[in-house]
Amino acid sequence: MALDNKPQDAPLFVPGSWDRPKAGKFIDAPEQGDTSTGRGNRPAANLLQRGVPGVITGKLDELAALARKNSLWTLTFGLACCAIEMMSTHMSHHDLDRFGVVTWPSPRQSDVMIVAGTVVKKMADPIRLLYEQMPDPKWVIAMGSCATNGGPYYRSYSVVMGVDHIIPVDVYIPGCPPRPEALMDGLIKLQEKIQRDAKEGPNAKPPVIAQAEVPQEGLVEPDSTDNAGEDDGTGQTS
Amino acid sequence: MTEQDKPVSEPEGSAPEGAADETPQVEALASARPARRAPPHEEEAPPEVLNSRGQTTLGLLMRVADPYVLAHGGRDDIPWIETRAQSLIEVARRCRDHRDLDLKMLHCLLVVDYTEHLQAVYVLLSPVKGTRAILKVNVPADEPKVPSLTGLWRAADWYEREMHDLFGMEFEGHPNLSPLILYEGFEGYPGLKSFPFNDYNEF
Amino acid sequence: MTTHPELETVDMMLNMGPQHPSTHGVFRMVLWIDGERIVDMEPHIGYLHRGSEKLCEGESYGQVVTLFDRLDYVSNFNNEQVFCRAVERLMDIEVPERAMYIRTILCELNRVASHLLFLGTYALDAGAMTPVLYAFRERERIQNLYEAVSGARMMHNFIRIGGIKEEVPADFVPRVRQLLGELRRGVEECDNLLTFNEVFLARTRGVGVIDSDTAVSYGLTGPCLRASGLAYDVRKDHPYEIYPNISFTVPVGEYGDCWDRYWVRVQEAYQSLNIVEQCLGQMTEGPIMPQMRRIARPPKGEVYVHGENPRGDIGVYLVSDGTDKPYRLKVRPPSYCNLTALRHMMKDAFIADAVVILGSLDIVLGEVDR
């Protein structure tokens, strides 16, 4: 189930139905390091595209993307330890202001939500609320291993195993906590994603980054209904 | 099914038969605690010894809480005494108000789950005199009720709320035992040993 | 309490929700306000409750150190140290002297780093945007040293049961000496910017006052208690490791207001630098870890140790049943106990003061919620 970008019939987000890479597949970008891009938000179709669908608005979109990616305003949303590294990244040594990134306290006026820290079940509702308060186009960066998949608290009774159970994520940054350079790398990847998405249009398929060949023995056997070994990039099951 | 059915509350160090925690079954993981590796031979436990300062404090404590002491012990300079739940407030008040003990600060309050009974442990401290002491109260697990110490120390308020959240310990006389650190509607008491360990529901 | 009691007013409820810009983590305050004055206040925590204590019961003692790192995520070494001290006490292990000195150096530098963070974010709460940049620049220096020593800027997992993980790099001592000089200048710079700044004084003097008796009843410890006039410091009153050999003074405040809490922390940062210098002078060669089993199995017993975190007394109550995993591990977090006094401090304060008072307590939600 991909998020269609028609705002009038955008499906309600159902937790658990968000596709994730299947067992045995490894979506990796080996030449670019550790961060991996997931599928997430694309900017909704703009007025021109909605009003006159089919008209190619490529260059205008790319210009808009250029402007958007160079002035990403992040929501001040530090949950736990990763917040300290996020603060360090914003400060004078690894300056994020040179990327145009400014932390903005209000969700109504921010573009990116960097979920830095452990997502606890009690906090899941506020996170969802904040995400929905952010206007389109918006992106989400899951910073740290807690936000990616629960991290060191993977057996805990009160931790959500990754923020992508609640909101769609664009960029995952592993680390505990990720270095400021890793966060910057993730932001740069997000900027590339924004540019790429604008180039390909709102309804294009997500890109296929290099697939690593993983030896199949020792792994859980995929179901016969899975299209294991055959990837059309959408990752949809049957 | 491997021999994973070791009772979860076993505090003894005896090795279960075939304690294999290298190849757990998936079903066992969902409900059983991870198996504990027992020591290969009995370790000589160094006795819990009180040093001289601890002995003095213990002597004071025993005198102050005279008719209510059920058991005592301690390590280094922190002695502990055990009382009944009914006499807790009286003992705590005496400890707090005694001139030499002067245990004015409730440093920590915790509950330990020993399956058949719960033990409430109160760590008291004197910032001025430097004495430290521990009070222990054992209550049966099916009726965990302890009087609340919010009248004596304001710090007890949140400590008791948290212990109620995690262990289900009832503190009689507490003004407001609403959930503090768990979300509203959390079922069960996660601190208890009987709470499933690996069982989380993906949100 | 209104200034015009004859006016009929309605108290408004203001929610300073789990996400707000004066963020010390995810903490929610519900304020009932009458005009600009706070009539009542209710704190809500638990938005970062990760179940660390329960998780500790399923992990071996060596693995618990990593969980302790993440409790008070600004002062990692102090947390690791108090836990390792608890296990060492149970197992009756004697930590080699060199390891104790290195532990103390790292912990005191962590105290400086934590107070720098406090300084920066507190100034940011009060509205000053510059000191935070300076404070983080100094923190970078300390974190570079930590990276050279342990491999990580923040979650070090370096202080292990029995000693420390591995020997420090060869240039540790000259590097720390140079760092001390740089840090003294750095802390002084931030100090000069803020401490006797008129605007800062106006915002923090006389705000959030708490007297020492009430503070003790609330379980306040650390700089918050010392600011109220009580000279209680675990390093002095119940000294551990090599603190008996070190001489330093404990700064004590006078009124118990926000400015005193800030001032005590800045003075503590200076004192920590003195402590590090003394440790460097007294440190000798030697082993860093005694001969002991790889998997720690403390005998059955219980122990309670507490140490001086930058935020107060962090206590660890460890119940062991003889196996390689703890039976019950309870952390007494200083910020949790300091937070109980927040309601008292906020009586009749302005809304703007609410942020300043919260900042002066210097809470870290990782340890409040565990």
Side-chain angles (χ1 to χ4, degrees):
Chain A
M1 178 201 94
L3 266 192
D4 301 323
N5 286 299
K6 305 189 196 60
Q8 56 272 24
D9 53 318
L12 196 63
F13 180 69
V14 177
S17 65
W18 188 249
D19 344 50
R20 264 175 258 128
K22 297 191 285 282
K25 281 190 188 258
F26 206 50
I27 298 182
D28 192 14
E31 73 276 12
Q32 282 162 338
D34 256 343
T35 59
S36 52
T37 52
R39 294 195 297 124
N41 299 291
R42 287 207 169 75
N46 57 29
L47 279 174
L48 203 54
Q49 285 164 339
R50 266 186 274 153
V52 202
V55 171
I56 297 172
T57 56
K59 285 300 170 199
L60 207 59
D61 281 340
E62 286 185 40
L63 190 64
L66 186 72
R68 279 177 183 145
K69 80 176 187 186
N70 283 322
S71 77
L72 287 170
W73 282 15
T74 58
L75 179 64
T76 329
F77 197 55
L79 291 168
C81 346
C82 285
I84 308 290
E85 286 295 54
M86 191 170 72
M87 284 199 279
S88 285
T89 321
H90 278 108
M91 292 300 151
S92 39
H93 196 86
H94 312 100
D95 191 10
L96 270 189
D97 203 1
R98 56 193 163 135
F99 293 102
V101 170
V102 175
T103 54
W104 200 247
S106 165
R108 301 268 181 204
Q109 285 147 6
S110 45
D111 301 314
V112 187
M113 183 153 116
I114 302 186
V115 182
T118 322
V119 178
V120 166
K121 288 179 187 170
K122 193 168 179 180
M123 192 64 195
D125 279 337
I127 290 183
R128 184 78 197 162
L129 200 63
L130 284 167
Y131 179 73
E132 285 167 4
Q133 282 179 341
M134 285 165 72
D136 269 342
K138 57 190 172 192
W139 295 274
V140 174
I141 295 181
M143 175 183 176
S145 51
C146 289
T148 306
N149 65 350
Y153 301 97
Y154 70 101
R155 278 194 282 172
S156 173
Y157 53 85
S158 72
V159 169
V160 179
M161 301 301 151
V163 77
D164 54 6
H165 286 262
I166 307 171
I167 53 179
V169 175
D170 293 283
V171 176
Y172 297 88
I173 306 177
C176 192
R179 283 189 61 102
E181 286 92 342
L183 176 57
M184 286 197 288
D185 189 24
L187 254 160
I188 292 171
K189 282 222 159 38
L190 181 66
Q191 290 180 338
E192 290 169 7
K193 175 178 199 259
I194 295 172
Q195 195 68 53
R196 198 171 51 221
D197 288 349
K199 196 160 166 193
E200 290 163 6
N203 294 319
K205 284 193 216 157
V208 177
I209 316 173
Q211 297 285 323
E213 279 303 310
V214 182
Q216 293 296 318
E217 65 267 7
L219 289 175
V220 174
E221 288 299 312
D223 297 345
S224 56
T225 54
D226 274 357
N227 295 329
E230 169 199 335
D231 183 72
D232 56 354
T234 56
Q236 294 193 10
T237 56
S238 56
Chain B
M1 198 56 131
T2 61
E3 306 289 321
Q4 291 284 27
D5 314 279
K6 186 168 173 310
V8 297
S9 64
E10 178 134 278
E12 311 300 318
S14 57
E17 283 306 309
D21 47 357
E22 287 86 16
T23 56
Q25 300 285 344
V26 176
E27 308 92 84
L29 255 190
S31 56
R33 298 174 52 83
R36 294 161 171 276
R37 252 201 223 111
H41 56 271
E42 277 301 308
E43 294 273 355
E44 287 286 326
E48 283 193 2
V49 187
L50 279 172
N51 58 19
S52 61
R53 184 175 180 181
Q55 296 280 1
T56 329
T57 320
L58 182 61
L60 256 182
L61 257 184
M62 301 280 282
R63 251 188 307 137
V64 164
D66 189 22
Y68 301 116
V69 178
L70 293 174
H72 62 92
R75 185 193 289 272
D76 288 342
D77 58 345
I78 312 183
W80 61 262
I81 56 170
E82 189 188 323
T83 68
R84 273 187 231 289
Q86 301 93 308
S87 37
L88 175 66
I89 295 189
E90 182 56 33
V91 172
R93 175 174 301 125
R94 287 190 196 177
C95 291
R96 186 188 68 154
D97 295 334
H98 189 263
R99 197 190 36 173
D100 290 322
L101 275 182
D102 198 36
L103 292 166
K104 283 267 185 310
M105 186 187 287
L106 177 63
H107 206 241
C108 185
L109 198 172
L110 65 138
V111 170
V112 190
D113 178 20
Y114 289 112
T115 330
E116 301 97 30
H117 64 269
L118 296 180
Q119 187 176 79
V121 179
Y122 299 79
V123 181
L124 305 172
L125 183 142
S126 168
V128 175
K129 296 252 170 24
T131 42
R132 297 181 279 190
I134 293 180
L135 297 177
K136 293 191 186 180
V137 175
N138 283 323
V139 286
D142 47 3
E143 215 197 314
K145 283 210 198 13
V146 168
S148 165
L149 293 185
T150 38
L152 295 176
W153 287 287
R154 295 192 220 195
D157 185 1
W158 269 24
Y159 290 144
E160 291 176 352
R161 263 174 91 179
E162 186 199 343
M163 286 303 124
H164 172 75
D165 268 354
L166 290 182
F167 288 90
M169 181 77 110
E170 298 284 334
F171 290 93
E172 294 159 340
H174 193 279
N176 175 26
L177 270 184
S178 53
L180 186 69
I181 53 176
L182 295 174
Y183 54 88
E184 303 263 345
F186 193 96
E187 280 148 20
Y189 297 116
L192 293 175
K193 298 285 177 183
S194 50
F195 193 82
F197 198 75
N198 270 330
D199 184 16
Y200 58 85
N201 40 347
E202 299 237 346
F203 198 75
Chain C
M1 179 192 106
T2 65
T3 47
H4 299 278
E6 67 274 9
L7 279 180
E8 265 194 41
T9 52
V10 175
D11 288 346
M12 179 176 119
M13 187 194 89
L14 183 70
N15 176 41
M16 292 182 78
Q19 183 264 340
H20 58 99
S22 65
T23 177
H24 293 274
V26 276
F27 174 62
R28 181 171 168 228
M29 279 197 289
V30 177
L31 308 168
W32 279 272
I33 50 181
D34 177 23
E36 277 277 328
R37 291 238 174 232
I38 296 175
V39 170
D40 199 4
M41 170 263 185
E42 196 187 326
H44 291 257
I45 60 171
Y47 291 98
L48 198 55
H49 177 67
R50 304 175 271 200
S52 304
E53 289 176 3
K54 179 86 180 176
L55 279 180
C56 287
E57 295 171 12
E59 301 194 345
S60 69
Y61 285 94
Q63 293 170 318
V64 170
V65 180
T66 61
L67 274 182
F68 260 72
D69 258 336
R70 286 150 179 86
L71 274 185
D72 175 0
Y73 38 81
V74 185
S75 50
N76 320 97
F77 280 117
N78 293 282
N79 304 358
E80 291 175 15
Q81 187 189 33
V82 77
F83 170 71
C84 291
R85 273 175 53 214
V87 181
E88 284 152 14
R89 188 64 206 90
L90 265 186
M91 292 175 71
D92 231 354
I93 295 176
E94 206 175 296
V95 180
E97 207 176 298
R98 184 177 166 81
M100 287 206 273
Y101 275 108
I102 295 178
R103 277 184 182 185
T104 309
I105 291 174
L106 295 170
C107 286
E108 292 298 326
L109 283 176
N110 213 340
R111 194 183 308 274
V112 178
S114 166
H115 287 327
L116 278 169
L117 184 99
F118 157 76
L119 218 158
T121 50
Y122 192 45
L124 200 61
D125 287 346
M129 310 271 194
T130 319
V132 69
L133 296 165
Y134 291 174
F136 271 84
R137 182 189 63 192
E138 308 306 324
R139 263 180 68 91
E140 287 290 325
R141 293 193 222 273
I142 302 179
Q143 284 186 314
N144 281 341
L145 174 77
Y146 285 159
E147 203 181 342
V149 165
S150 73
R153 288 160 53 101
M154 266 180 81
M155 308 303 174
H156 314 102
N157 193 13
F158 187 69
I159 295 184
R160 304 286 174 97
I161 299 168
I164 53 180
K165 175 188 164 206
E166 58 185 10
E167 187 54 72
V168 290
D171 61 344
F172 182 68
V173 174
R175 192 169 170 163
V176 175
R177 268 195 222 283
Q178 190 195 5
L179 182 66
L180 284 180
E182 292 170 359
L183 280 178
R184 277 211 180 89
R185 280 194 296 275
V187 176
E188 209 176 297
E189 204 172 13
C190 300
D191 193 2
N192 287 339
L193 274 177
L194 274 182
T195 310
F196 294 108
N197 183 328
E198 257 184 75
V199 180
F200 190 70
L201 276 171
R203 278 213 78 169
T204 52
R205 255 287 178 229
V207 169
V209 180
I210 187 166
D211 61 304
S212 62
D213 289 328
T214 323
V216 169
S217 174
Y218 272 115
L220 235 57
T221 48
C224 300
L225 183 61
R226 291 197 276 280
S228 302
L230 203 57
Y232 170 67
D233 187 332
V234 185
R235 298 173 291 172
K236 285 278 194 199
D237 291 333
H238 311 280
Y240 51 92
E241 303 224 329
I242 46 113
Y243 283 109
N245 307 343
I246 312 275
S247 73
F248 60 100
T249 59
V250 170
V252 174
E254 207 177 327
Y255 299 114
D257 61 2
C258 291
W259 191 86
D260 272 337
R261 290 191 275 273
Y262 157 84
W263 181 87
V264 162
R265 287 193 177 96
V266 171
Q267 297 303 311
E268 261 185 31
Y270 287 126
Q271 290 299 319
S272 291
L273 295 173
N274 289 346
I275 295 176
V276 173
E277 191 158 355
Q278 288 177 52
C279 286
L280 284 179
Q282 295 175 10
M283 202 160 79
T284 53
E285 297 297 318
I288 47 153
M289 184 81 114
Q291 277 294 103
M292 56 176 275
R293 288 174 190 276
R294 225 168 145 205
I295 300 181
R297 285 196 194 101
K300 267 206 251 187
E302 312 173 346
V303 71
Y304 183 74
V305 302
H306 57 130
E308 182 79 17
N309 220 15
R311 276 152 197 85
D313 271 15
I314 181 163
V316 170
Y317 195 93
L318 177 60
V319 178
S320 156
D321 58 349
T323 59
D324 66 331
K325 298 182 166 67
Y327 187 74
R328 171 83 170 108
L329 185 62
K330 159 87 178 152
V331 182
R332 186 258 184 209
S335 305
Y336 183 76
C337 310
N338 293 354
L339 209 50
T340 50
L342 189 62
R343 192 157 167 262
H344 177 94
M345 289 184 198
M346 282 215 198
K347 285 243 153 58
D348 296 332
F350 288 118
I351 302 179
D353 294 335
V355 166
V356 167
I357 296 172
L358 179 64
S360 75
L361 279 182
D362 195 14
I363 56 170
V364 163
L365 264 297
E367 67 176 358
V368 169
D369 291 333
R370 272 155 286 135

